Amino acid sequence: LNEEAKHLNSFAKVNEKDLDTIAKILLDDESITAVVSTHLLRDMVDDTMISLDYVIWLVLGFALALAFVVVYNLNNINITERSYEIATLKVLGFYQNETHSYVFRENLFLTALGIFVGLILGNSLLTFIMAQIQVDFVSFKQQIFPQSFLIASITTFLLTILVNWILRGKIDRIDMTESLSSGE
């Protein structure tokens, strides 16, 4: 073979069941340096994406757990710091649901604000991460569906509502006489 022919790339379309046999025959020829199967490459990428899906679900699970702990602790501290105020509301004759809504309305507002800011910053973070993980052979399409924003927002609100529901008992257990006497 002349020098130009050595650098030629040739493509062939073969049946999958004959692929191994043809690859062995081609590799026996000394002028052929490599045989690459797009089918095998596709299978390898598919396996990688399945593994990546598991990692994504794991990260989502830990993110939910972290969000739960953060929201729970913030609400718990809020209730503890405001026990004098909550006891005063009880003494004034507020019903349980009125007291709960008074305390938790602020949490829901802060959740809505956090969702708004988080979606904007999250989009920027995604752009940054996608720019960092570019590789030669695989490209990732950066696309966020509107349903993703909706699912993230609903999940965050449901998590906050769950934490508020769990902490209702803490508000109910605030002793009015003890809390009011400690404020003096």
Side-chain angles (χ1 to χ4, degrees):
L1 293 175
N2 62 21
E3 194 61 34
E4 289 178 21
K6 287 182 180 179
H7 298 290
L8 287 177
N9 290 326
S10 297
F11 298 96
K13 188 172 185 177
V14 296
N15 194 342
E16 276 184 51
K17 60 184 177 184
D18 299 331
L19 185 62
D20 289 334
T21 307
I22 293 172
K24 287 178 187 175
I25 293 169
L26 290 172
L27 287 173
D28 286 340
D29 186 344
E30 291 180 11
S31 64
I32 296 177
T33 57
V35 176
V36 178
S37 166
T38 56
H39 176 72
L40 293 176
L41 285 174
R42 185 178 298 133
D43 286 346
M44 187 175 68
V45 169
D46 286 345
D47 290 344
T48 302
M49 295 312 287
I50 289 171
S51 298
L52 190 59
D53 284 346
Y54 291 130
V55 171
I56 289 170
W57 282 110
L58 185 68
V59 169
L60 281 173
F62 282 117
L64 277 172
L66 178 63
F68 179 84
V69 169
V70 168
V71 172
Y72 182 87
N73 283 335
L74 288 174
N75 286 345
N76 194 23
I77 291 168
N78 185 23
I79 291 168
T80 303
E81 291 293 322
R82 295 172 70 185
S83 63
Y84 182 81
E85 180 182 347
I86 294 168
T88 302
L89 292 175
K90 287 182 173 185
V91 167
L92 291 175
F94 278 58
Y95 293 112
Q96 275 186 341
N97 287 339
E98 290 174 320
T99 307
H100 295 157
S101 68
Y102 175 77
V103 173
F104 295 135
R105 190 178 312 125
E106 177 183 311
N107 297 339
L108 291 174
F109 172 76
L110 290 174
T111 298
L113 182 64
I115 288 170
F116 177 73
V117 172
L119 291 177
I120 293 170
L121 292 178
N123 198 20
S124 301
L125 181 62
L126 174 69
T127 303
F128 172 75
I129 289 173
M130 295 307 284
Q132 301 305 310
I133 63 170
Q134 287 183 0
V135 292
D136 294 336
F137 298 109
V138 179
S139 65
F140 297 99
K141 183 177 181 182
Q142 181 182 337
Q143 182 178 12
I144 304 175
F145 296 106
Q147 300 94 320
S148 299
F149 291 112
L150 185 63
I151 290 169
S153 300
I154 289 172
T155 303
T156 305
F157 262 117
L158 289 177
L159 187 74
T160 301
I161 290 169
L162 174 67
V163 170
N164 287 349
W165 183 76
I166 291 170
L167 289 174
R168 289 172 65 103
K170 182 166 182 153
I171 291 175
D172 295 339
R173 287 190 301 273
I174 292 177
D175 184 25
M176 291 181 279
T177 54
E178 184 181 322
S179 294
L180 292 174
S181 65
S182 68
E184 297 173 356

